[in-house]
Amino acid sequence: MSPVEPPAEVRQQIEEELERNRRWEYRLPVYAGVALLVCAAIVVVRVVFLHV
């Protein structure tokens, strides 16, 4: 059995979706950095103000 090639328009839609996903992957390190900064801010506030 050989795999069936999808029609050209379906292939184009798949490629566009992959490109959109790739662009989101480039943003993930920025979001991770923001999340770490928020966590660090929470720890600092707890240590300074609540003496936990």
Side-chain angles (χ1 to χ4, degrees):
M1 289 177 63
S2 63
V4 177
E5 285 291 320
E9 87 176 25
V10 173
R11 191 176 327 126
Q12 181 64 27
Q13 290 174 349
I14 291 171
E15 289 175 7
E16 289 172 1
E17 183 174 352
L18 288 173
E19 183 60 33
R20 282 194 304 269
N21 290 343
R22 193 172 297 118
R23 279 181 267 157
W24 270 105
E25 287 176 1
Y26 294 138
R27 297 177 189 163
L28 287 177
V30 175
Y31 291 144
V34 170
L36 286 173
L37 287 174
V38 169
C39 289
I42 290 170
V43 168
V44 167
V45 167
R46 286 183 58 117
V47 168
V48 170
F49 292 108
L50 301 178
H51 305 292
V52 174

